[in-house]
């Protein structure tokens, strides 16, 4: 059962679709109080209780033992000591003798102290008093998730080809570079469906423009690639370059579509193109305008997008630079002692994503000026909604691939997400695994990490192991940062090993796509923690390195370097499959702990007794799969 409680005058985030009559928060069943204008609620936990939730967030599947913050943040260091990533997914669930879920529908900051200050207490601080809060009860965790998911509406389903293997890098600078990627994949006979265009395809990083020099005759080029079975997926950034004569900027300025400063002038901050203005996506008219701009690219045959920098990321503001330079000038010629030196360093480092800049940005909501900090966490979601609304109107559901970096619950209806700028670290294989079920609880089914890791240099074995997990993630994309070691499969010795892994993906696509659609239709999770399925099994309850996949499978990727395999726990008897290219090795394993060997070119998969997973012949493009 779901009960809604309303406090004050909440901003409508459109996260929840279903209608509920609201009660006053005075009746909210968890202990709560208001302090310094913040609404605080808390609950006790038994030592063995699990707390799930928060979607795309650092640390474990069990969120206990840390403070998290809902605050969409462009932070490329996903270390375990961070409190936020790019998303605000305000849903948590207690699983113990008591079971309940809580969704806090509030677009500004929330602090989740889940057993950090006091081991057995969760304290949630909502930074305001205007919000809706939903309290969800059920017998089992999955019941709670299904009810919540039914309330927030069906998850986005991408086209089938979005389940193909995708290659990205910041950046393939021109059409020759893109052609080379496709050729190399063809040469190595490694399947591929998409190649990504990062910011350099644009003319001076201006949204909805194409650099003529880098991609001459873009429309013809796109259709030529399509004839080769390849979809090109361009990036769209939230900031619009401030430049006289640039149509989008001129229109936005004239119609007053950009976020404002307190004095009514356009808010500006520096991002890739230099000074930018930021469309006020919270205004439906602005969404319609900006969403319609995607037509520039869909008219050229583009049918997939990734929306970036929409937390929004702000590198600097003119005011910030000015005061930093002033500070630096004052220090000129001085003996910089420790505090002065580090103060100076911090001043410059602190220019990006600075709270003072967010605080000077305003939105227009129903003709009221609302400070950005009050709605920060729905900005990116509304950028994505702008595009989603346009695509749905123009093409119908499920035709366009789209995923976003920033998100809020509700955006799961129109788009997927990717988990942003991770690192080529072994620990980030597990971070990806742990975010999958958490994101699924919040409605985000189409998701995945930058396979092989975005920042820093990857090793061959890391990319292979990462891909072996990526075989199962709906978004299977290898992406890496400018300046890092080449990370395409053919860049390493023995590309056949990579082919073996990626072919397994193509063998599984009909199964995975079907499981995905079922999960969307039934408000189900594609990935579940083992504790969902084996509630009385204490080892399963603790397991954070394996997941249940749909109704049939369990996955357990190898996540350590130089390991020939890993320990795995089977909560019941299962068939262990080692899949590699078209080869399948089968082994029956009993319930219990096993050491399994997995070669670098193998994908481990566990199938429950009495269940079947169909495998098809691998192909080079999803279009050859002959399904649907
Ligand atoms: O500040 O467009 O997360 O995937 O390659 C970096 C360049 C901006 C961040 C994205 C990343 C992308 C990169 N972008």
């Amino acid at each position: 059962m779901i009960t809604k409680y309303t406090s004050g005058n909440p901003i409508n985030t459109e996260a929840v679709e279903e209608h509920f009559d609201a009660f006053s928060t005075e009746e909210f069943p968890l202990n709560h109080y208001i302090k310094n204008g913040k609404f605080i609620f808390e609950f006790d936990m038994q030592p063995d209780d699990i707390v799930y939730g928060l979607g795309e967030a650092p640390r474990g599947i069990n969120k206990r033992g840390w403070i998290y913050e809902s605050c969409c943040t462009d932070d490329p260091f996903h270390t375990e000591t961070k409190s936020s990533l790019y998303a605000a997914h305000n849903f948590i669930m207690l699983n113990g003798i008591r079971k309940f879920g809580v969704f806090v529908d509030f677009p500004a900051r929330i602090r989740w102290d889940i057993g950090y200050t006091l081991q057995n207490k969760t304290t949630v601080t909502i930074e305001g008093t205007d919000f809706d809060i939903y309290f969800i009860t059920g017998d089992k965790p999955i019941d709670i998730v299904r009810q919540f998911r039914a309330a927030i509406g069906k998850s986005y389903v991408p086209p089938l080809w979005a389940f193909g293997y995708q290659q990205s890098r910041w950046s393939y600078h021109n059409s020759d570079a893109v052609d080379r990627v496709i050729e190399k994949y063809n040469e190595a006979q490694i399947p591929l469906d998409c190649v990504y265009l990062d910011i350099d395809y644009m003319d001076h990083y201006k949204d909805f423009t194409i650099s003529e020099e880098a991609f001459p005759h873009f429309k013809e080029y796109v259709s030529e690639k399509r004839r080769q079975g390849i979809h090109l997926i361009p990036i769209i950034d939230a900031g619009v370059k401030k430049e006289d004569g640039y149509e989008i900027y001129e229109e936005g300025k004239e119609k007053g579509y950009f976020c404002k400063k307190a004095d009514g002038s356009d808010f500006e901050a520096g991002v890739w193109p230099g000074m930018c203005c930021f469309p006020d996506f919270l205004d439906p008219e602005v969404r319609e305008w900006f969403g319609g701009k995607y037509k520039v690219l869909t008219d050229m045959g583009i049918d997939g997008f990734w929306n970036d920098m929409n937390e929004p990321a702000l590198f600097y503001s003119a005011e910030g630079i000015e005061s930093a330079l002033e500070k630096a000038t004052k220090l000129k010629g001085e003996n910089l002692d420790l505090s002065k030196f580090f103060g100076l360093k911090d001043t410059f480092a602190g220019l990006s994503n600075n709270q003072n800049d967010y605080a000077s940005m305003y939105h227009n909501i129903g003709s009221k000026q609302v400070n950005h900090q009050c709605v920060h966490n729905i900005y990116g979601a509304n950028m994505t909604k702008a595009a989603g609304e346009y695509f749905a109107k123009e093409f119908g559901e499920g035709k366009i691939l789209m995923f976003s970096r920033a998100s809020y619950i509700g955006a799961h209806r129109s788009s997927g997400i990717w988990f942003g700028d991770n690192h080529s670290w072994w620990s980030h294989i597990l971070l990806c695994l742990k975010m999958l079920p958490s994101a699924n609880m919040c409605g985000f089914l189409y998701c995945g990490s930058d396979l092989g890791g975005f920042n820093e240099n990857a090793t061959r074995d890391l990319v292979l192991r990462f891909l072996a997990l990526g075989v199962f993630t709906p978004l299977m994309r290898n992406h890496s940062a400018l300046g890092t070691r080449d990370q395409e499969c053919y860049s390493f010795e023995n590309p056949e090993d990579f082919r073996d892994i990626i072919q397994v993906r193509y063998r599984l696509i009909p199964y995975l796509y079907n499981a995905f659609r079922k999960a969307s239709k039934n408000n189900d999770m594609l990935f579940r923690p083992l504790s969902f399925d084996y509630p009385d099994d204490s080892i399963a309850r603790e397991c954070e390195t394996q997941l249940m996949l749909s109704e049939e499978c369990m996955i357990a990727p190898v996540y350590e370097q130089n390991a020939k395999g890993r320990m795995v726990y089977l909560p019941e008897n299962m068939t262990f499959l080692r899949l590699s290219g078209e080869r399948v090795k089968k082994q029956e394993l009993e319930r219990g702990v096993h050491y399994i060997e997995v070669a670098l070119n193998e994908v481990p998969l566990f199938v429950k007794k009495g269940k079947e997973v169909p495998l098809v012949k691998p192909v080079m493009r999803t279009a050859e799969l002959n399904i649907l």
Side-chain angles (χ1 to χ4, degrees):
M1 186 163 107
I2 303 191
T3 317
K4 174 180 179 179
Y5 304 89
T6 295
S7 166
N9 278 311
I11 283 165
N12 182 7
T13 68
E14 294 176 23
V16 176
E17 276 195 335
E18 203 176 323
H19 173 80
F20 297 93
D21 291 327
F23 293 84
S24 146
T25 40
E26 271 161 40
E27 294 177 58
F28 185 61
L30 302 175
N31 190 30
H32 60 272
Y33 52 96
I34 291 174
K35 198 172 157 188
N36 302 330
K38 300 175 183 182
F39 185 93
I40 299 168
F41 71 87
E42 53 189 24
F43 58 85
D44 293 329
M45 303 174 288
Q46 297 300 309
D48 290 340
D49 287 0
I50 301 175
V51 178
Y52 306 106
L54 300 184
E56 182 188 335
R59 297 175 85 97
I61 296 173
N62 187 345
K63 304 315 278 188
R64 280 186 77 153
W66 195 242
I67 297 187
Y68 303 85
E69 218 171 0
S70 293
C71 179
C72 299
T73 309
D74 168 26
D75 180 343
F77 288 93
H78 307 172
T79 54
E80 62 184 76
T81 44
K82 292 297 161 71
S83 49
S84 329
L85 295 174
Y86 309 87
H89 298 157
N90 303 335
F91 172 74
I92 58 168
M93 181 185 357
L94 177 72
N95 179 17
I97 312 256
R98 287 177 79 195
K99 291 180 182 37
F100 55 79
V102 179
F103 171 52
V104 183
D105 193 6
F106 178 67
R109 266 178 210 249
I110 305 171
R111 188 171 179 271
W112 313 80
D113 178 341
I114 307 179
Y116 176 82
T117 304
L118 294 172
Q119 257 188 76
N120 292 324
K121 188 173 216 115
T122 289
T123 305
V124 180
T125 308
I126 304 172
E127 298 214 347
T129 51
D130 296 307
F131 59 86
D132 292 316
I133 194 164
Y134 297 80
F135 190 78
I136 310 156
T137 51
D139 291 340
K140 289 189 288 188
I142 194 69
D143 298 337
I144 294 173
V145 170
R146 285 192 188 122
Q147 290 178 67
F148 176 54
R149 292 271 304 281
I152 59 177
K154 293 270 177 282
S155 298
Y156 164 75
V157 178
L160 172 82
W161 56 263
F163 274 65
Y165 175 69
Q166 318 188 8
Q167 182 62 56
S168 183
R169 180 174 177 81
W170 173 23
S171 272
Y172 301 129
H173 283 95
N174 52 35
S175 54
D176 287 346
V178 171
D179 289 343
R180 186 163 174 275
V181 173
I182 299 168
E183 265 164 42
K184 288 279 190 182
Y185 269 94
N186 285 345
E187 241 172 65
Q189 286 292 298
I190 301 174
L192 177 72
D193 265 80
C194 304
V195 178
Y196 279 71
L197 304 180
D198 208 318
I199 45 177
D200 298 283
Y201 80 89
M202 293 183 245
D203 171 22
H204 294 90
Y205 311 124
K206 285 182 281 187
D207 278 338
F208 312 112
T209 67
I210 311 286
S211 158
E212 265 294 317
E213 209 181 303
F215 291 91
H217 313 293
F218 190 66
K219 189 171 179 181
E220 288 74 44
Y221 184 67
V222 174
S223 59
E224 183 193 305
K225 294 308 108 183
R226 282 299 293 283
R227 282 196 296 278
Q228 299 169 13
I230 300 293
H231 298 258
L232 297 179
I233 317 292
I235 195 169
I236 304 290
D237 281 1
V240 168
K241 183 174 193 202
K242 183 186 175 197
E243 182 184 279
D244 292 338
Y246 167 39
E247 185 192 297
I248 314 237
Y249 169 69
E250 295 279 3
E251 271 178 33
K253 187 172 87 168
E254 193 198 306
K255 301 208 164 119
Y257 284 166
F258 295 127
C259 291
K260 300 278 183 288
K261 291 203 288 203
D263 64 6
S265 63
D266 287 342
F267 171 85
E268 294 172 7
V271 208
W272 291 112
M275 272 304 160
C276 286
C277 287
F278 296 83
D280 189 354
F281 297 118
L282 273 51
D283 180 338
E285 193 180 320
V286 177
R287 282 207 297 277
E288 197 180 333
W289 167 72
F290 194 84
K293 296 295 174 199
Y294 284 74
K295 184 173 192 300
V296 171
L297 290 155
T298 53
D299 278 352
M300 297 192 191
I302 292 292
D303 52 5
F305 298 92
W306 50 314
N307 288 340
D308 191 22
M309 308 296 274
N310 51 3
E311 294 73 27
L314 310 176
F315 290 167
Y316 63 88
S317 64
E319 293 82 355
I321 292 270
E322 173 107 356
S323 85
L325 288 175
E326 221 168 84
K327 195 164 171 183
T329 318
K330 271 199 201 131
L331 290 175
K332 203 168 167 184
E334 272 207 43
N335 175 19
L336 296 187
D337 61 16
L338 210 70
S339 76
K340 281 183 190 150
F341 170 71
F342 283 106
L344 185 63
K345 208 174 150 193
D346 290 349
T347 303
F348 281 91
L351 282 174
S352 296
N353 305 323
N354 190 297
Q355 292 310 318
N356 293 332
D357 292 336
Y358 291 122
S360 61
M361 187 175 179
Y362 289 85
H363 297 265
N364 173 24
I365 302 179
S367 73
K368 258 200 355 225
Q369 261 209 341
V370 176
N371 188 268
H372 177 76
Q373 290 188 309
C374 305
V375 290
H376 175 73
N377 289 338
I378 54 173
Y379 185 77
N382 276 288
M383 173 191 184
T384 293
K385 196 189 282 173
E389 284 166 352
Y390 171 69
F391 298 151
K393 189 178 78 188
E394 198 66 23
F395 304 101
E397 303 286 321
K399 292 289 184 282
I400 306 285
L401 165 62
M402 174 169 57
F403 53 89
S404 172
R405 198 169 70 176
S407 63
Y408 186 85
I409 291 173
H412 70 285
R413 295 191 296 266
S414 49
S415 145
I417 50 174
W418 97 101
F419 299 148
D421 298 350
N422 63 356
H423 273 71
S424 294
W425 290 339
W426 287 86
S427 60
H428 278 184
I429 296 179
L430 282 187
L431 180 60
C432 171
L433 178 132
K434 291 170 189 185
M435 286 197 274
L436 292 166
S438 311
N440 281 190
M441 289 175 204
C442 299
F444 292 94
L445 295 183
Y446 190 78
C447 47
S449 291
D450 288 350
L451 301 172
F454 176 75
N455 291 297
E456 308 281 1
N457 295 332
T459 58
R460 177 180 186 271
D461 51 355
L462 175 76
V463 180
L464 282 163
R465 295 301 198 197
F466 229 129
L467 288 172
L469 168 61
V471 159
F472 302 105
T473 61
L475 168 63
M476 186 190 191
R477 184 178 78 142
N478 176 342
H479 180 49
S480 61
L482 192 69
T484 60
R485 180 184 188 181
D486 287 345
Q487 205 169 287
E488 297 79 11
C489 298
Y490 54 76
S491 312
F492 299 100
E493 59 194 297
N494 298 340
E496 316 78 81
D497 287 349
F498 291 83
R499 176 173 65 219
D500 286 341
I501 300 283
I502 293 171
Q503 281 188 334
V504 172
R505 164 65 163 217
Y506 281 71
R507 301 201 70 189
L508 283 165
I509 286 176
Y511 168 71
L512 290 172
Y513 194 58
N514 193 32
F516 183 97
R517 283 192 307 180
K518 256 190 351 206
S520 168
K521 182 162 164 264
N522 302 331
N523 300 315
D524 237 323
M525 293 159 73
L526 186 62
F527 297 103
R528 293 177 307 282
L530 270 56
S531 49
F532 269 51
D533 291 36
Y534 307 96
D536 305 320
D537 179 329
S538 60
I539 304 180
R541 277 178 76 86
E542 282 183 15
C543 184
E544 297 246 354
T545 64
Q546 308 169 199
L547 294 175
M548 303 311 294
L549 163 61
S550 197
E551 290 315 305
E552 296 78 16
C553 301
M554 183 177 82
I555 60 169
V558 178
Y559 55 88
E560 277 173 323
Q561 188 161 30
N562 301 318
K564 291 203 178 61
R566 57 165 288 170
M567 302 298 298
V568 66
Y569 176 64
L570 268 59
E572 60 177 288
N573 297 351
M574 291 183 185
T575 307
F576 170 41
L577 300 179
R578 271 179 293 176
L579 304 161
S580 182
E582 295 195 50
R583 301 174 297 279
V584 184
K585 288 186 209 153
K586 257 194 198 182
Q587 198 182 342
E588 300 304 329
L589 291 181
E590 308 239 298
R591 168 164 189 249
V593 178
H594 300 268
Y595 183 82
I596 53 156
E597 283 196 11
V598 183
L600 281 174
N601 67 341
E602 290 177 336
V603 178
L605 177 64
F606 299 84
V607 181
K608 290 204 224 170
K609 281 269 134 19
K611 301 284 185 188
E612 265 175 34
V613 172
L615 293 170
V616 299
K617 272 225 162 287
V619 289
M620 285 293 285
R621 308 277 183 262
T622 49
E624 300 160 31
L625 276 172
N626 264 335
I627 50 170
L628 298 176

